[in-house]
Amino acid sequence: MRKKIVAGNWKMNTTVPEGVELAKAVVAKSAEVPSDVKLIVATPFTHLVPVAAVTAGTRVGLSAENCADKEKGAYTGEVSAAMLASAGCQYTILGHSERRQYYGETDEKLVEKTRLALAQGLDVILCVGENRDEREAGRHFDVCKTQVENVLFQFTAEDLKHIIVAYEPVWAIGTGLTATAEQAEEIHAYIRGIIAARFGAEAAEELSILYGGSCKPSNAKELFAQKDIDGGLIGGAALKADDFIGIALSF
Ligand code: PEP
């Protein structure tokens, strides 16, 4: 049985005290959510240590939003996978479209980052997805296929047990535009098929594939009802504990 997961990506929002309060509210409300749904909060680097103190020993997992593509050394301003693990993280998001778009995140760098994160015992939430032009040109399947192949095909079926895929159509992120449940499901099923062809049916069946892009309590139910949608990576709605938990109650 693959895992149901709702992960909140806080992006560059909240001060440290605000983030600690938000984490406390998520932990407090997490009791309302069925125990088979994994909850994760992904916070800015500065928040990880104090938020880890809030989430430790609870059912809420802690994720970073990125990590360095180098192990350690003279890389001013970077944060390594080992630092994340030692801060109390169990996960890191990698390849978010905002990082691909604004910070030159390439698939080659993502292979390195994934390798380093896995080596530190972190699970990776790898984001893939097409932009608006690519969708309008009918290239969405090809774009997702290339991103999945370029990164995930460099790893083993064993590694895949520690990787979660998030399909996030870029045109739906923070725009209020949500992919329809049918649009999301066809890409999720397609990605699962690519994984099955390469790693086998069992590995594909166990892979959690999350949907991200303006997911909120009002549309999560329809999305999560799809056969190949195993939960959500949530941006804006993760900044309010009630909305985040409302989404997690939508399975
Ligand atoms: C995201 O950034 O991962 C995301 C899905 O954002 P939003 O929910 O705000 O569209």
Side-chain angles (χ1 to χ4, degrees):
M1 269 282 283
R2 56 187 187 251
K3 287 193 203 84
K4 297 175 187 170
I5 300 169
V6 176
N9 172 18
W10 294 1
K11 312 194 187 193
M12 198 173 72
N13 291 300
T14 74
T15 61
V16 173
E18 288 166 352
V20 167
E21 285 314 303
L22 177 55
K24 282 182 182 167
V26 169
V27 167
K29 291 173 192 296
S30 64
E32 298 167 22
V33 178
S35 57
D36 64 337
V37 180
K38 180 69 196 169
L39 299 172
I40 301 169
V41 292
T43 83
F45 291 137
T46 45
H47 300 36
L48 290 171
V49 169
V51 171
V54 175
T55 57
T58 76
R59 56 176 293 188
V60 179
L62 180 62
S63 178
E65 301 175 9
N66 180 32
C67 82
D69 62 342
K70 303 287 190 298
E71 191 178 355
K72 64 177 175 178
Y75 301 103
T76 302
E78 290 294 309
V79 176
S80 73
M83 293 172 187
L84 299 181
S86 71
C89 279
Q90 301 93 41
Y91 303 85
T92 184
I93 296 173
L94 291 177
H96 191 280
S97 64
E98 287 151 15
R99 297 214 53 86
R100 292 181 189 258
Q101 190 179 348
Y102 307 132
Y103 299 99
E105 194 109 303
T106 60
D107 287 339
E108 292 70 30
K109 280 188 190 168
L110 289 170
V111 171
E112 274 314 290
K113 291 182 177 202
T114 302
R115 191 178 62 72
L116 291 163
L118 294 177
Q120 290 300 325
L122 298 171
D123 283 9
V124 169
I125 303 171
L126 178 75
C127 303
V128 300
E130 81 284 357
N131 64 29
R132 184 192 291 262
D133 289 349
E134 291 161 344
R135 165 68 62 166
E136 284 171 0
R139 294 185 49 231
H140 39 296
F141 289 104
D142 283 350
V143 169
C144 292
K145 181 170 192 264
T146 301
Q147 291 173 344
V148 166
E149 287 182 352
N150 284 351
V151 182
L152 293 187
F153 280 21
Q154 314 310 313
F155 295 90
T156 65
E158 195 53 36
D159 293 330
L160 213 60
K161 293 181 181 164
H162 299 283
I163 297 176
I164 298 158
V165 171
Y167 167 59
E168 300 207 304
V170 181
W171 49 272
I173 296 179
T175 58
L177 296 173
T178 315
T180 63
E182 293 71 28
Q183 283 173 325
E185 169 60 19
E186 67 177 359
I187 296 279
H188 282 234
Y190 178 70
I191 291 172
R192 203 177 301 286
I194 296 169
I195 296 297
R198 171 76 178 206
F199 296 100
E202 197 184 325
E205 193 44 45
E206 281 178 14
L207 178 72
S208 293
I209 307 179
L210 314 183
Y211 168 78
S214 300
C215 186
K216 32 190 188 277
S218 57
N219 59 24
K221 210 175 186 66
E222 200 187 346
L223 288 159
F224 295 176
Q226 304 303 311
K227 187 166 85 41
D228 291 289
I229 300 183
D230 306 309
L233 180 55
I234 317 300
L239 295 172
K240 290 199 181 119
D242 281 340
D243 287 351
F244 183 63
I245 295 297
I247 291 170
L249 287 170
S250 302
F251 283 101

